[in-house]
Every structure is written in structure tokens, then in C-alpha cells.
Amino acid sequence: MPELPEVETSRRGIEPHLVGATIQFVEVRNGRLRWPVSDEIYRLSDVPVLSVQRRAKYLLLELPTGWIIVHLGMSGSLRVLPQDAPPEKHDHVDVILSNGKCLRYTDPRRFGAWLWASELEGHPVLAHLGPEPLTEVFNAEYLYQKSRSKKIAVKPWLMDNKLVVGVGNIYASESLFAAGIHPDRVAHSLSPEDAKRLTQAIKAVLAHSIEQGGTTLRDFLQTDGKPGYFAQELQVYGRAGELCRQCGTAIKSGKHGQRTTFWCPCCQH
Ligand SMILES: [Zn+2]
């Protein structure tokens, strides 16, 4: 599943091709995604793209009359291609641009979304989202205060979009390892010092992944955006039974709800 770093990498990849270009029309080959592609998107004609922004894992294409909200779902990806590139089976949406290019959306599992919003304020998919992890609003004091009444394990707590957006399964495990915090710790047991290490770890892990994505942007835009893309950088995620790179202890795995968690029993408390 594309996580926040992959979505931000996609944003940076498509932005220079879209901003300043005009959308001539949008060709929807299969509009049956997680929700049906909004009618307004089918009707777009001769509209300039003003900006390409991101909120959580939603890409936001700003047009003079409103916004296209794109979510990559479980398996979606975006590529910028010449308009004559022949579409393949899972290429469901093409945004035809005035500069001879097209923005092509591919999504084998069709859990993604293409929605229209005349304004973003109060839109159902964006309302109730917590702060962006790489902004100053998300800081140690914020995390500590939010943790005071929480009796759930810190790992699933971090993955709650109302607390902070974009900390998915991989990055929750990786950040807790970097902060030396056991994923089973009850959230309200965090000390102010723990909260400080954890916010710093979340920011560092996400920023590093975005940076990695940026260095191989060309490759990224031609692949399916699987998180395995960053796999060689991972310390604990997907490494059960392998040795911790810091202390040599075997990495453990377990479940929080449906999601698998990975940790080092020696480095994390
Ligand atoms: Zn270790």
C-alpha cells in the first residue's frame, strides 16, 4: 500500500508536469473505484492546474473551480506519459494535458478514489484528520498531551489518523524502533522524554523515506508504488527472525488487531 512517503514522492514527481498545464479532458475507462469517479471529473474541459498539494495520503489537484482529490488506495499509482502511450488493463484514468502529456492512473485492485470537491473545507474524506507529521503542530508536547488518557498500545494509537496522519503500519514499527519504545507499551505510560524521542523518530523516518524516494523519482513513477521500494532501509519491518542491526538480537513480530508489528526485544522498552 502506498504510504505517506510514496504519496509525497508521487506529488513531487507529477507537480512539474501539471502546474501551468491545462487539462483538455479526462478519460475515465473504469470509474468503479472505491467510490464512483465523481461526475464533475468526467465533465472537465480546458481548465488550468493551479497547484498539486497533499493532505495525509490524498493528492489535491487545484483547479479554478475546485479540487480533484486522488487517493491511491491499496495499489494505485500515477505516471506522466506521452499521450500516445497505449493504455493497459488496469489504467483506469487518463488526464489529458495541453503539453502533449497525460497523467495516467493505474490501480489493479481499484481501492483508490477520484473525487471532486468544490471546496476542501469540511469535505468528508478530509474532515477529522489529525496534523501532518512533518509540521510543527505535531510536536512532543502535542503527542504527550494526547497520550494522557489513552489506554491502548502505542503502536495502533500512532496509526490513528485523528492523532497524526500518515504513520502507517511500516512507519509506526520503524519509528518505535528508532525511539527505543516497545510497541505494546500503553500510550499513557509515555514520559515527556519518550514523546520527544518518538516525535523526532517519526519525523526523521518519514523525511528520510521521502528523501530516498526523491533520489530515484524517475524509477518510482514507472513502478506500481509498492512500499517494498524502501525495503532496504527498514530496520525491523518485515524482518522477523532476522538479527537487529543495532544489537544482534532476533527481531520479533506480533499482531495488533489485523496488523503485524515488528520490534527488537532488546532495544525497545
Ligand atoms: Zn536490538
Side-chain angles (χ1 to χ4, degrees), residues 239-266:
R239 297 192 67 236
E242 294 177 40
L243 303 184
C244 173
R245 298 191 222 274
Q246 273 185 25
C247 74
T249 305
I251 301 296
K252 289 200 162 198
S253 71
K255 292 268 184 185
H256 284 105
Q258 306 283 31
R259 312 305 298 273
T260 307
T261 302
F262 300 86
W263 71 95
C264 172
C266 181

mmCIF file of all heavy atoms in Angstrom, residues 239-266:
data_model
loop_
_atom_site.group_PDB
_atom_site.id
_atom_site.type_symbol
_atom_site.label_atom_id
_atom_site.label_comp_id
_atom_site.label_asym_id
_atom_site.label_seq_id
_atom_site.Cartn_x
_atom_site.Cartn_y
_atom_site.Cartn_z
ATOM 1 N N ARG A 239 11.212 -8.069 9.133
ATOM 2 C CA ARG A 239 12.483 -8.741 9.421
ATOM 3 C C ARG A 239 12.381 -9.745 10.574
ATOM 4 O O ARG A 239 13.394 -10.059 11.202
ATOM 5 C CB ARG A 239 13.556 -7.695 9.729
ATOM 6 C CG ARG A 239 13.868 -6.746 8.556
ATOM 7 C CD ARG A 239 15.127 -5.916 8.809
ATOM 8 N NE ARG A 239 16.311 -6.745 8.832
ATOM 9 C CZ ARG A 239 17.186 -6.804 9.834
ATOM 10 N NH1 ARG A 239 17.017 -6.064 10.907
ATOM 11 N NH2 ARG A 239 18.236 -7.601 9.776
ATOM 12 N N ALA A 240 11.201 -10.283 10.858
ATOM 13 C CA ALA A 240 11.044 -11.228 11.973
ATOM 14 C C ALA A 240 12.045 -12.381 11.843
ATOM 15 O O ALA A 240 12.188 -12.955 10.768
ATOM 16 C CB ALA A 240 9.623 -11.775 12.007
ATOM 17 N N GLY A 241 12.740 -12.671 12.952
ATOM 18 C CA GLY A 241 13.717 -13.766 12.960
ATOM 19 C C GLY A 241 15.102 -13.339 12.499
ATOM 20 O O GLY A 241 16.095 -13.999 12.796
ATOM 21 N N GLU A 242 15.172 -12.203 11.783
ATOM 22 C CA GLU A 242 16.491 -11.690 11.383
ATOM 23 C C GLU A 242 17.099 -10.918 12.549
ATOM 24 O O GLU A 242 16.416 -10.585 13.510
ATOM 25 C CB GLU A 242 16.363 -10.791 10.148
ATOM 26 C CG GLU A 242 15.907 -11.554 8.904
ATOM 27 C CD GLU A 242 15.705 -10.633 7.710
ATOM 28 O OE1 GLU A 242 16.512 -9.706 7.521
ATOM 29 O OE2 GLU A 242 14.702 -10.840 6.987
ATOM 30 N N LEU A 243 18.386 -10.625 12.459
ATOM 31 C CA LEU A 243 19.067 -10.026 13.610
ATOM 32 C C LEU A 243 18.985 -8.502 13.585
ATOM 33 O O LEU A 243 19.137 -7.874 12.531
ATOM 34 C CB LEU A 243 20.537 -10.465 13.628
ATOM 35 C CG LEU A 243 20.741 -11.995 13.669
ATOM 36 C CD1 LEU A 243 22.227 -12.331 13.776
ATOM 37 C CD2 LEU A 243 19.967 -12.650 14.815
ATOM 38 N N CYS A 244 18.730 -7.943 14.770
ATOM 39 C CA CYS A 244 18.711 -6.486 14.923
ATOM 40 C C CYS A 244 20.049 -5.912 14.491
ATOM 41 O O CYS A 244 21.103 -6.411 14.878
ATOM 42 C CB CYS A 244 18.426 -6.135 16.391
ATOM 43 S SG CYS A 244 18.575 -4.371 16.749
ATOM 44 N N ARG A 245 19.990 -4.848 13.681
ATOM 45 C CA ARG A 245 21.231 -4.256 13.180
ATOM 46 C C ARG A 245 21.977 -3.497 14.272
ATOM 47 O O ARG A 245 23.137 -3.145 14.112
ATOM 48 C CB ARG A 245 20.919 -3.313 12.015
ATOM 49 C CG ARG A 245 20.288 -4.020 10.810
ATOM 50 C CD ARG A 245 20.257 -3.069 9.609
ATOM 51 N NE ARG A 245 19.003 -3.137 8.865
ATOM 52 C CZ ARG A 245 18.753 -4.010 7.889
ATOM 53 N NH1 ARG A 245 19.641 -4.865 7.535
ATOM 54 N NH2 ARG A 245 17.598 -3.995 7.256
ATOM 55 N N GLN A 246 21.280 -3.215 15.389
ATOM 56 C CA GLN A 246 21.955 -2.491 16.472
ATOM 57 C C GLN A 246 22.566 -3.416 17.508
ATOM 58 O O GLN A 246 23.641 -3.154 18.023
ATOM 59 C CB GLN A 246 20.956 -1.558 17.174
ATOM 60 C CG GLN A 246 20.870 -0.207 16.503
ATOM 61 C CD GLN A 246 19.978 0.750 17.252
ATOM 62 O OE1 GLN A 246 19.768 0.629 18.465
ATOM 63 N NE2 GLN A 246 19.442 1.711 16.531
ATOM 64 N N CYS A 247 21.851 -4.528 17.858
ATOM 65 C CA CYS A 247 22.309 -5.339 18.992
ATOM 66 C C CYS A 247 22.448 -6.826 18.674
ATOM 67 O O CYS A 247 22.942 -7.586 19.506
ATOM 68 C CB CYS A 247 21.351 -5.159 20.177
ATOM 69 S SG CYS A 247 19.790 -6.025 19.948
ATOM 70 N N GLY A 248 21.995 -7.273 17.503
ATOM 71 C CA GLY A 248 22.169 -8.667 17.123
ATOM 72 C C GLY A 248 21.108 -9.620 17.647
ATOM 73 O O GLY A 248 21.158 -10.818 17.373
ATOM 74 N N THR A 249 20.125 -9.105 18.400
ATOM 75 C CA THR A 249 19.021 -9.944 18.880
ATOM 76 C C THR A 249 18.036 -10.214 17.731
ATOM 77 O O THR A 249 17.885 -9.373 16.842
ATOM 78 C CB THR A 249 18.275 -9.207 20.023
ATOM 79 O OG1 THR A 249 19.235 -8.861 21.023
ATOM 80 C CG2 THR A 249 17.194 -10.076 20.649
ATOM 81 N N ALA A 250 17.367 -11.400 17.767
ATOM 82 C CA ALA A 250 16.395 -11.711 16.715
ATOM 83 C C ALA A 250 15.176 -10.794 16.828
ATOM 84 O O ALA A 250 14.614 -10.614 17.920
ATOM 85 C CB ALA A 250 15.968 -13.170 16.813
ATOM 86 N N ILE A 251 14.762 -10.218 15.697
ATOM 87 C CA ILE A 251 13.577 -9.346 15.646
ATOM 88 C C ILE A 251 12.321 -10.198 15.857
ATOM 89 O O ILE A 251 12.215 -11.302 15.330
ATOM 90 C CB ILE A 251 13.492 -8.631 14.275
ATOM 91 C CG1 ILE A 251 14.737 -7.774 14.009
ATOM 92 C CG2 ILE A 251 12.208 -7.802 14.148
ATOM 93 C CD1 ILE A 251 14.931 -6.623 14.947
ATOM 94 N N LYS A 252 11.396 -9.688 16.646
ATOM 95 C CA LYS A 252 10.135 -10.393 16.908
ATOM 96 C C LYS A 252 9.000 -9.777 16.101
ATOM 97 O O LYS A 252 9.086 -8.616 15.670
ATOM 98 C CB LYS A 252 9.788 -10.298 18.387
ATOM 99 C CG LYS A 252 10.705 -11.119 19.258
ATOM 100 C CD LYS A 252 10.055 -11.394 20.597
ATOM 101 C CE LYS A 252 10.761 -12.554 21.279
ATOM 102 N NZ LYS A 252 9.983 -13.140 22.329
ATOM 103 N N SER A 253 7.929 -10.547 15.933
ATOM 104 C CA SER A 253 6.730 -9.984 15.319
ATOM 105 C C SER A 253 5.503 -10.452 16.095
ATOM 106 O O SER A 253 5.530 -11.487 16.772
ATOM 107 C CB SER A 253 6.612 -10.400 13.849
ATOM 108 O OG SER A 253 6.303 -11.762 13.744
ATOM 109 N N GLY A 254 4.446 -9.668 16.001
ATOM 110 C CA GLY A 254 3.185 -9.997 16.664
ATOM 111 C C GLY A 254 2.081 -9.185 16.034
ATOM 112 O O GLY A 254 2.328 -8.421 15.087
ATOM 113 N N LYS A 255 0.866 -9.355 16.530
ATOM 114 C CA LYS A 255 -0.279 -8.667 15.914
ATOM 115 C C LYS A 255 -0.860 -7.601 16.838
ATOM 116 O O LYS A 255 -0.973 -7.807 18.045
ATOM 117 C CB LYS A 255 -1.391 -9.686 15.616
ATOM 118 C CG LYS A 255 -1.033 -10.681 14.538
ATOM 119 C CD LYS A 255 -1.483 -10.203 13.175
ATOM 120 C CE LYS A 255 -1.196 -11.276 12.121
ATOM 121 N NZ LYS A 255 -1.507 -10.827 10.772
ATOM 122 N N HIS A 256 -1.222 -6.472 16.260
ATOM 123 C CA HIS A 256 -2.101 -5.506 16.914
ATOM 124 C C HIS A 256 -3.323 -5.425 16.023
ATOM 125 O O HIS A 256 -3.243 -4.881 14.917
ATOM 126 C CB HIS A 256 -1.447 -4.137 17.024
ATOM 127 C CG HIS A 256 -0.406 -4.069 18.102
ATOM 128 N ND1 HIS A 256 0.936 -4.066 17.821
ATOM 129 C CD2 HIS A 256 -0.516 -4.016 19.447
ATOM 130 C CE1 HIS A 256 1.610 -3.998 18.963
ATOM 131 N NE2 HIS A 256 0.753 -3.962 19.967
ATOM 132 N N GLY A 257 -4.438 -5.992 16.447
ATOM 133 C CA GLY A 257 -5.585 -6.093 15.550
ATOM 134 C C GLY A 257 -5.189 -6.963 14.371
ATOM 135 O O GLY A 257 -4.640 -8.048 14.550
ATOM 136 N N GLN A 258 -5.409 -6.459 13.162
ATOM 137 C CA GLN A 258 -5.092 -7.240 11.960
ATOM 138 C C GLN A 258 -3.671 -6.980 11.470
ATOM 139 O O GLN A 258 -3.241 -7.620 10.518
ATOM 140 C CB GLN A 258 -6.072 -6.878 10.821
ATOM 141 C CG GLN A 258 -7.523 -6.995 11.168
ATOM 142 C CD GLN A 258 -7.991 -8.446 11.166
ATOM 143 O OE1 GLN A 258 -7.225 -9.368 11.465
ATOM 144 N NE2 GLN A 258 -9.251 -8.658 10.855
ATOM 145 N N ARG A 259 -3.003 -6.009 12.084
ATOM 146 C CA ARG A 259 -1.737 -5.558 11.513
ATOM 147 C C ARG A 259 -0.547 -6.164 12.227
ATOM 148 O O ARG A 259 -0.498 -6.212 13.456
ATOM 149 C CB ARG A 259 -1.648 -4.022 11.578
ATOM 150 C CG ARG A 259 -2.890 -3.290 11.086
ATOM 151 C CD ARG A 259 -3.316 -3.681 9.686
ATOM 152 N NE ARG A 259 -2.295 -3.375 8.688
ATOM 153 C CZ ARG A 259 -2.195 -2.198 8.083
ATOM 154 N NH1 ARG A 259 -3.024 -1.227 8.367
ATOM 155 N NH2 ARG A 259 -1.249 -2.005 7.192
ATOM 156 N N THR A 260 0.441 -6.608 11.452
ATOM 157 C CA THR A 260 1.639 -7.204 12.034
ATOM 158 C C THR A 260 2.609 -6.106 12.465
ATOM 159 O O THR A 260 2.820 -5.136 11.752
ATOM 160 C CB THR A 260 2.322 -8.137 11.017
ATOM 161 O OG1 THR A 260 1.349 -9.060 10.543
ATOM 162 C CG2 THR A 260 3.461 -8.911 11.666
ATOM 163 N N THR A 261 3.164 -6.304 13.652
ATOM 164 C CA THR A 261 4.117 -5.357 14.231
ATOM 165 C C THR A 261 5.463 -6.054 14.394
ATOM 166 O O THR A 261 5.509 -7.242 14.688
ATOM 167 C CB THR A 261 3.604 -4.916 15.617
ATOM 168 O OG1 THR A 261 2.304 -4.342 15.467
ATOM 169 C CG2 THR A 261 4.533 -3.904 16.253
ATOM 170 N N PHE A 262 6.523 -5.316 14.206
ATOM 171 C CA PHE A 262 7.876 -5.877 14.344
ATOM 172 C C PHE A 262 8.659 -5.033 15.353
ATOM 173 O O PHE A 262 8.546 -3.811 15.353
ATOM 174 C CB PHE A 262 8.591 -5.855 12.989
ATOM 175 C CG PHE A 262 7.877 -6.668 11.932
ATOM 176 C CD1 PHE A 262 6.861 -6.099 11.171
ATOM 177 C CD2 PHE A 262 8.212 -7.999 11.708
ATOM 178 C CE1 PHE A 262 6.181 -6.848 10.212
ATOM 179 C CE2 PHE A 262 7.548 -8.748 10.750
ATOM 180 C CZ PHE A 262 6.536 -8.174 9.994
ATOM 181 N N TRP A 263 9.456 -5.711 16.213
ATOM 182 C CA TRP A 263 10.254 -4.955 17.174
ATOM 183 C C TRP A 263 11.463 -5.752 17.625
ATOM 184 O O TRP A 263 11.515 -6.977 17.450
ATOM 185 C CB TRP A 263 9.400 -4.551 18.383
ATOM 186 C CG TRP A 263 9.028 -5.691 19.287
ATOM 187 C CD1 TRP A 263 9.675 -6.093 20.414
ATOM 188 C CD2 TRP A 263 7.911 -6.574 19.149
ATOM 189 N NE1 TRP A 263 9.045 -7.163 20.987
ATOM 190 C CE2 TRP A 263 7.949 -7.479 20.217
ATOM 191 C CE3 TRP A 263 6.868 -6.700 18.217
ATOM 192 C CZ2 TRP A 263 7.005 -8.499 20.396
ATOM 193 C CZ3 TRP A 263 5.929 -7.713 18.379
ATOM 194 C CH2 TRP A 263 6.001 -8.593 19.458
ATOM 195 N N CYS A 264 12.431 -5.065 18.219
ATOM 196 C CA CYS A 264 13.589 -5.716 18.818
ATOM 197 C C CYS A 264 13.340 -5.807 20.324
ATOM 198 O O CYS A 264 13.175 -4.766 20.980
ATOM 199 C CB CYS A 264 14.858 -4.926 18.551
ATOM 200 S SG CYS A 264 16.251 -5.602 19.503
ATOM 201 N N PRO A 265 13.317 -7.029 20.893
ATOM 202 C CA PRO A 265 13.028 -7.192 22.319
ATOM 203 C C PRO A 265 14.132 -6.626 23.209
ATOM 204 O O PRO A 265 13.913 -6.419 24.407
ATOM 205 C CB PRO A 265 12.903 -8.707 22.494
ATOM 206 C CG PRO A 265 13.615 -9.317 21.341
ATOM 207 C CD PRO A 265 13.525 -8.323 20.203
ATOM 208 N N CYS A 266 15.287 -6.369 22.647
ATOM 209 C CA CYS A 266 16.396 -5.846 23.436
ATOM 210 C C CYS A 266 16.472 -4.323 23.375
ATOM 211 O O CYS A 266 16.689 -3.664 24.396
ATOM 212 C CB CYS A 266 17.704 -6.466 22.916
ATOM 213 S SG CYS A 266 19.150 -5.935 23.806
#
